[in-house]
Each structure stands twice: as C-alpha cells, then as structure tokens.
Amino acid sequence: MDIPLPLPLLIGGAEDDGNRESTWLPGHREKLSLIQRSWVTAGCNAVVAPTFRGNRFRLPRRDGEEDVRGYNRTLVELTRRSAGERVLVAGGIGPAGQELEPFGDVTFEELVTAYAEQAAALAEAGVDLFLLGEGMTMAEERAAMLAVRQASSRPVVVLARCDEEGRTESGTDVLAALIVMQGMGAAAFGLSTGEGAEVLLEQLQRLTPYAAIPLAAVVSEPEQELQDLAEAGVKLFACGGALSGDGPSLLARDLALVDFSRFVPPEHDPDVIPCASEKEARFITPDVDVGETIECTSDLMEEILEAEETCPQGSLKIAILEEDDVAIFAENQYAVRDALCLWSDVPELLEQALRVYQGRAFWDGTGDLEPEFLAEMAKKYGLVLL
C-alpha cells in the first residue's frame, strides 16, 4: 500500500553529534535554521527535526515531562520555520539507551511511557510524520510505535541500520524487523549500512518479496544506483551523513531521473505467512502444526528450548492462562526463535502477552475469542490470524 505522503520522498535533516546533552538547544538555533534551510535548497521535500534524543532517558534531568515537551516542540517549530510550509517536517524518535528487564532495570511499559511523552510533544508541535531512527532495538521500535499510535495517526517511517549479514547492532535480522513493523502499521521501512552501496541494495532486495509497504534507503554514497533501489521497491530516500557539499542536491537531481514504474510489486503467496521472533524471521503455512501447548511454569525457558530443538514443525504454542503467566512469559520470551502461537481464552491476558512479546505472533484459530477483538489485536500488534 502507499502512504499518504508525496512519493518519492527525499528526506534531509540536521543530525546531533551523539552527546547526551541537548546539542541543539539553547545555543545553536541559528545554526540549526541554516542547516534545515540548506536541505530544502538542495531539493528535499521532507526535513527531519533533530529530536532523536528527545526522550526522558536521553535528555538531561531537569523538569521531567515538561522538559521533554519543550525540547521537542522547540526543535520542530524551528525546523518548520526554516523549511517552510510546503516541505514536510518529520519528528525524529531514537534509542532510549536502556536495557529492559530481565537484562536491565526498565520495564517495557516504562519505555512506552517515555516514548509516549515524546510522541505527544511531537504531535502537538504539528509534525507531518514520525521517523524512528537507526540504532533502535526491536523493543524500542515496538514501544515507539505503540506510543506514537496513542498520540497521532500520522505515518510512521522506520529505519534500521544493518551489517553485511543483514543484522542490526542488537542482532535482529532486518527481515524480522520489517515483518514486525509493517504488522504494527508502519507506513514505510528502510535500511542504512556502513558496508557500502552493494550491501545496502542486497539487503533491500532481500526485503522486497515480503514488503507490503514502501521501502526506504539511507543513501550515503554518491555512486549509489538509485534506479536499482527503486526497482527494489524503494520510494523514500534519506540523505546520509556522508553526503556533504553538493551531495544532497546531486541526489535530488539523480532522483528526478529515476523511472519508478519499473518496480514490479511481487506476488505474495498466501501459503507463505511471515511471522517473527525478536531476532529471526519465520514463515508458516495456514495448516501449521503448533505441537503440544506449553504452559507458563517455572520451567518455561527449558520447555521452549526443548520444543525448538526436538520439534520439526518450526513453531510452538504458549498458553497464557492467568495473570502471573504474563510475567513468566515476558521474562522467558527471549528464548523463542521459531514462529510463536500465543493462546489465551481471556482477551485481556492475550493482549498483555502480545504487548510484551518483541516479535510477531500468530493465532491458530482455536478458542472462542470474538472476531472483532482478534481483528483489533491484528491491527495493533500485528497478530497473524489463521
């Protein structure tokens, strides 16, 4: 599907320097204005406000939520004034830099709350779209997506940075990230890499057969063949940090010569259904064998590992039967690598389990939950309904 934005889209925007402190405020407003105007002059039709560190975990501690609100609002307003009304302004959301339980001290809901503060501030400031930046973990991307949807119906574009094997820094296969993010309603999904133009194209082509949304590419090398990217389904192009001088304007010039009609959308086989764990992409068929149901006990970790080692079907089924099961599942879910069927006969428990699962689960069609509820879970969390 297409997104409600002018495509193709060429995205530019000021970057921060990676420091924890608020690098753009309060002393660099004029510098930011000049940089943002330069992207428009170069031919970009979307500019990103440098708000990627505008969450409570990354900003210096001052006044909590009000500080988050003021920081994000000011940067968006500066970008809007600099870019003008005919250019789209994106609100950047980036890593929180926190380890989640059980590996750290932050809960998933605390992460959602932090991103919700930022998303609300960006929406209030009037962004046209949200950009989830490179370097986020799967949990951060999911938390940010849920947070944005609390605040706005504007499009969300997700970018992931990968190595030559198609893995993010946290070890997630970018195909798994695509499957999860498009299931949760992302408007576009894209890649960047430090491994060169050939690797970028190769990894995007690996996504093409499974992409139901437009792809995006962060172009950092002048020699990148834009026509090849377009024929892989790329419709959004972001200017990478290595494009300096005339690089962005040359990219805009070359983009005008690309023939996007040469992209042929792939036919999706209805018998090949994408699912994903936190790290891996998995594919099932409508008649998938889920094996024996696993209940959430103190031995859940061992049972998951044993099921995946001994069962050839490539999927497993975990039942959430009571409130305590959600916490047990959340703590042990990281052992799951195969396609996961989550099951419960209590709607609230199923939603809680889907919320904390850092992948894309499926429902095997058994049980008596209302179709309307299951459809809502599919829309919100990407639950695959068989």
Side-chain angles (χ1 to χ4, degrees):
M1 67 177 182
D2 280 338
I3 63 177
L5 293 171
L7 297 176
L9 200 64
L10 181 59
I11 307 170
E15 299 180 350
D16 62 41
D17 64 6
N19 291 329
R20 179 178 172 81
E21 295 298 314
S22 310
T23 56
W24 286 113
L25 294 175
H28 303 286
R29 300 186 185 211
E30 184 57 34
K31 179 182 178 182
L32 173 61
S33 296
L34 290 172
I35 291 174
Q36 301 296 56
R37 280 197 293 270
S38 72
W39 290 109
V40 179
T41 302
C44 294
N45 52 356
V47 178
V48 185
T51 54
F52 292 102
R53 296 173 186 273
N55 62 73
R56 64 162 70 173
F57 292 115
R58 303 306 292 269
L59 287 176
R61 297 289 181 183
R62 285 196 286 271
D63 299 319
E65 183 175 349
E66 190 60 32
D67 194 40
V68 169
R69 180 177 179 271
Y71 180 83
N72 285 276
R73 185 179 183 88
T74 300
L75 287 176
V76 171
E77 290 175 348
L78 278 169
T79 298
R80 176 73 72 187
R81 286 198 299 270
S82 304
E85 292 298 325
R86 290 187 293 180
V87 174
L88 299 174
V89 172
I93 296 178
Q98 302 294 311
E99 288 279 359
L100 294 189
E101 293 181 343
F103 310 107
D105 298 325
V106 176
T107 68
F108 183 69
E109 287 307 317
E110 288 172 336
L111 189 60
V112 174
T113 298
Y115 282 131
E117 292 172 355
Q118 183 182 15
L122 293 171
E124 181 183 337
V127 297
D128 300 298
L129 67 154
F130 296 83
L131 181 67
L132 306 191
E134 309 159 47
M136 299 177 77
T137 65
M138 181 78 88
E140 288 173 330
E141 289 176 347
R142 291 187 69 257
M145 179 67 73
L146 291 171
V148 168
R149 283 295 163 254
Q150 292 177 24
S152 174
S153 59
R154 295 286 186 175
V156 180
V157 177
V158 181
L159 295 178
R161 184 173 180 83
C162 69
D163 60 18
E164 61 184 2
E165 301 298 326
R167 297 273 174 181
T168 67
E169 185 177 349
S170 57
T172 294
D173 183 349
V174 292
L175 180 54
L178 166 69
I179 291 168
V180 172
M181 288 295 101
Q182 74 178 4
M184 294 183 71
F189 180 89
L191 300 179
S192 73
T193 184
E195 303 297 331
E198 186 175 334
V199 170
L200 179 63
L201 177 61
E202 176 184 314
Q203 291 302 325
L204 284 164
Q205 289 173 332
R206 193 163 69 90
L207 302 183
T208 303
Y210 308 103
I213 54 179
L215 295 177
V218 179
V219 180
S220 297
E221 299 187 15
E223 63 269 22
Q224 185 82 55
E225 290 292 339
L226 301 186
Q227 184 64 53
D228 291 342
L229 292 176
E231 291 178 25
V234 174
K235 294 185 179 179
L236 295 87
F237 300 80
C239 298
L243 283 181
S244 58
D246 293 333
S249 59
L250 294 176
L251 179 61
R253 181 202 64 187
D254 293 344
L255 191 58
L257 303 176
V258 172
D259 182 3
F260 287 90
S261 67
R262 289 166 61 179
F263 169 62
V264 180
E267 294 186 8
H268 298 286
D269 187 343
D271 291 331
V272 178
I273 302 170
C275 296
S277 64
E278 183 200 19
K279 305 290 187 186
E280 307 296 337
R282 291 291 185 258
F283 300 91
I284 59 174
T285 60
D287 59 351
V288 60
D289 178 7
V290 296
E292 295 186 10
T293 301
I294 301 173
E295 295 187 5
C296 293
T297 68
S298 59
D299 297 324
L300 180 58
M301 174 78 74
E302 289 75 15
E303 292 194 49
I304 291 172
L305 295 174
E306 181 180 356
E308 295 197 336
E309 181 179 351
T310 61
C311 299
Q313 67 268 11
S315 65
L316 65 157
K317 181 176 182 177
I318 295 178
I320 310 296
L321 303 178
E322 54 189 41
E323 193 80 30
D324 289 345
D325 289 357
V326 177
I328 295 171
F329 169 69
E331 184 174 347
N332 293 279
Q333 61 160 310
Y334 301 99
V336 175
R337 299 180 69 84
D338 285 345
L340 174 64
C341 171
L342 274 175
W343 189 92
S344 180
D345 56 359
V346 180
E348 294 79 8
L349 293 181
L350 180 61
E351 177 164 12
Q352 289 176 40
L354 288 170
R355 192 171 179 88
V356 299
Y357 180 50
Q358 307 305 335
R360 186 175 184 182
F362 70 95
W363 176 259
D364 64 358
T366 63
D368 299 319
L369 295 183
E370 293 293 331
E372 294 80 9
F373 168 76
L374 292 172
E376 181 185 349
M377 296 301 96
K379 181 179 180 180
K380 189 172 183 179
Y381 302 106
L383 178 64
V384 175
L385 304 178
L386 299 184

